[in-house]
Amino acid sequence: MRVLGVDPGLTRCGIGVIEGEPGRQLRLVATDVIRTPAGDDIGARLLALEVAFDDWLARHRPDAVAVERVFSQHNVRTVMGTAQAGAVAIVCAARHGVPVALHTPSEVKAAVTGSGRADKQQVTEMVTRLLRLPDRPRPADCADALALAICHLWRGAAQQRLAAAARLVTAQRQVTAQRQVTAQRQVTAQLLSTPQRATGGST
C-alpha cells in the first residue's frame, strides 16, 4: 500500500510518500516541502499548492492520501491558511480518484510513538527508525507528513479489516435470514397443499 501524507501549510507544506504493509518494513518513496512566498496573493499561493499536489499524485500514484485534521488554535490566521492548504490537497486527491483520510495530531503521535502527547522530536525520531533512514527528515514538516502517512497505513489497514469483518457478519446474517424465510415458506406451502379431512358425526 502506498500512502501520501500532507502536513498542510501555506508557507511550508510538508509532503511525503511511503509504502508498505502493517507488520512489514516501511519504505520511504519521497518527501519534500512545498513552499509559497508569504508576500504573494492568497489565490496564487493556493494555486501553486494545487499544481504541486497534482504533480505528486500523478508521479507517485498513492492508494490513499492522509491529511492532518486542523483544530482551532490561538493564531486564527495560521489556522485558516492551514485549513485552506489542506482543502486544496483533499480536492486534488478527489480529482485523481484517491481516497482521503483526516487524522488528528494526537492520533498520529499515538500511532507512531505510542503516546498521543509525544513532542515533535519524539515523532521525528520514530519516523526515522520506522523508515530506517540514515538521518532525520528535515525540515520537521517532512517528518510530520511521513508520520501522517505511517499513521494512516497502520490505522487504515486496521479499519479495513474491521470493515471487512463487519461486512462478513452482515452477509452471514442476511444468508441466515433468507434461509429462515425460505424454510417458513416451505412449511406454509406444505400446510396449504395437505388436504383437510372433514370432521363431524353422522346424523
Side-chain angles (χ1 to χ4, degrees):
M1 182 178 185
R2 179 171 285 196
V3 181
L4 185 150
V6 178
D7 180 39
L10 272 178
T11 303
R12 297 188 316 276
C13 181
I15 191 166
V17 180
I18 66 166
E19 63 181 12
E21 298 292 339
R24 297 183 180 181
Q25 176 59 44
L26 304 178
R27 185 178 75 88
L28 171 66
V29 177
T31 187
D32 202 354
V33 173
I34 306 169
R35 304 175 187 273
T36 64
D40 284 3
D41 177 74
I42 180 64
R45 300 177 74 183
L46 293 175
L47 181 58
L49 288 176
E50 179 186 18
V51 172
F53 290 145
D54 278 335
D55 177 62
W56 275 73
L57 288 163
R59 280 193 291 126
H60 298 292
R61 299 182 179 278
D63 299 302
V65 171
V67 181
E68 182 178 272
R69 185 186 296 274
V70 179
F71 282 93
S72 61
Q73 301 172 358
H74 297 296
N75 192 335
V76 178
R77 184 175 181 180
T78 301
V79 173
M80 289 181 63
T82 302
Q84 290 166 340
V88 173
I90 294 170
V91 170
C92 289
R95 183 186 301 136
H96 286 258
V98 181
V100 178
L102 302 178
H103 298 287
T104 66
S106 59
E107 287 174 346
V108 175
K109 293 175 182 178
V112 174
T113 71
S115 172
R117 297 183 178 181
D119 58 29
K120 282 186 173 293
Q121 182 177 352
Q122 291 173 312
V123 171
T124 300
E125 288 177 355
M126 285 306 301
V127 167
T128 305
R129 291 181 184 179
L130 292 170
L131 296 175
R132 294 185 180 179
L133 304 177
D135 299 303
R136 296 179 181 180
R138 296 183 184 280
D141 306 273
C142 288
D144 291 342
L146 294 173
L148 275 157
I150 293 171
C151 171
H152 181 70
L153 193 150
W154 286 349
R155 288 174 59 92
Q159 291 171 351
Q160 288 174 359
R161 289 195 296 270
L162 290 174
R167 288 194 296 269
L168 178 59
V169 170
T170 300
Q172 290 174 338
R173 288 176 177 173
Q174 291 175 340
V175 169
T176 300
Q178 184 60 44
R179 287 176 178 172
Q180 292 174 343
V181 170
T182 301
Q184 184 63 44
R185 288 176 177 173
Q186 291 174 344
V187 171
T188 301
Q190 290 175 354
L191 291 174
L192 292 175
S193 63
T194 301
Q196 301 294 319
R197 294 181 178 180
T199 59
S202 57
T203 55

